[in-house]
Amino acid sequence: MTIPADDSRLRSDLTRLLPPPPVDDLPPLRHQALKHRVLNATEARPHRDRARARRFALPVAAGLALTGAFTLAVVTADPVPRGTARPGAHAAAPNAAQVLTRAALAASEASATTVRPDRFVYIESLVGHAGRDAGGGPATMAPAHRRQVWLSADGTREGLLREAGAPDTPLAASGPVEYLDHRGATPRPGALGRPEPSVTDPTHTFVSALPTDPGALLDLVYAQTRPAGRAADPHQRAFDAIGTLLAETWAPPRVTAALYEAAARIPDTVVLPYATDAAGREGVAVARTAHGEQTQWIFDRATFAFLGERTVLTRATSAGPAGTLLGTTAVLAKGAAARPGDLPAG
């Protein structure tokens, strides 16, 4: 049927009979963010935390709302690969809080990490550290080597450290014991022969019970890494402690996500667009500098998985000129093993 060009009313009536145009589904990252926020919606956040989150977030398309009438917000800035032109004059590189937020979202989607108290957490990595001879002189970086460690999940069994080119080293066990906080108190379990687990001396059992609220978790980290002298940087000590927990423990997904969100609140962190771990994997890094040394956390550019760390000099010292590499690591595998020396299934 031919419709006269001037019959606008008939055209309008026919248009209303057509189905509405299709609407694209949410991009995977925004769908991931929505799921992450729903899972954590029941956790109370202080007003200042909400204000900070809004400052580091961009609004999603209108119409997306969660129960309780708060609007979802998520960062969408992507690091620009080397040699790639930016899509627009106003495109901006992500800041440290944005990178850590995306790492938190990715961590929250990981598989659960359940390890029985009588089992061992297995971590395999490549590590390299600079050394100096007895007479001083500049630091010399040794080639990275393979490192395997088996850590008792509850801290009561002897673990094992295995490094290429060195004999196996048993990791001291600590026997179970019960503590009384005061006369008449209910006994609480602990370990004999080692201090109480902490963020600087963790067990898997301890890490699994860490707060999943980023503010409470960061308060705990600051409290347990408080420096003894005024010259120490409390923010760097907290940053280093969280980095060790990320690299040297196998935390549950929600704890890992909270560690990233807590780190996003530490001041003076920056983004390095390109950094390489000990295995040669290139990614984007979040870094912080204190006392002339910069600690870098390296993340996969696509998945935002934690790859490893680097430490470099930012100013000339007796160890070498600025840019001297002092240490590098690459996390290769994590899992649960039945006994020291066994590899995780799969």
Side-chain angles (χ1 to χ4, degrees), residues 117-147:
D118 62 338
R119 297 296 178 105
F120 294 80
V121 171
Y122 170 80
I123 300 173
E124 180 180 347
S125 56
L126 290 177
V127 298
H129 300 288
R132 304 175 70 180
D133 58 36
T140 302
M141 189 68 191
H145 63 274
R146 187 185 188 203
R147 175 179 180 270

Side-chain angles (χ1 to χ4, degrees), residues 125-129 247 277-279 298 306-310 327-331:
S125 56
L126 290 177
V127 298
H129 300 288
D277 71 2
I298 306 168
F306 182 86
L307 298 180
E309 288 185 293
R310 278 166 52 93
T328 179
T329 67
V331 179

Side-chain angles (χ1 to χ4, degrees), residues 144-191:
H145 63 274
R146 187 185 188 203
R147 175 179 180 270
Q148 298 168 283
V149 63
W150 288 262
L151 303 170
S152 172
D154 64 0
T156 64
R157 292 161 180 80
E158 186 176 88
L160 178 67
L161 172 64
R162 179 173 291 166
E163 295 190 85
D168 287 356
T169 303
L171 301 179
S174 54
V177 68
E178 291 187 333
Y179 290 95
L180 287 177
D181 293 323
H182 55 82
R183 182 175 297 177
T186 301
R188 57 185 176 86

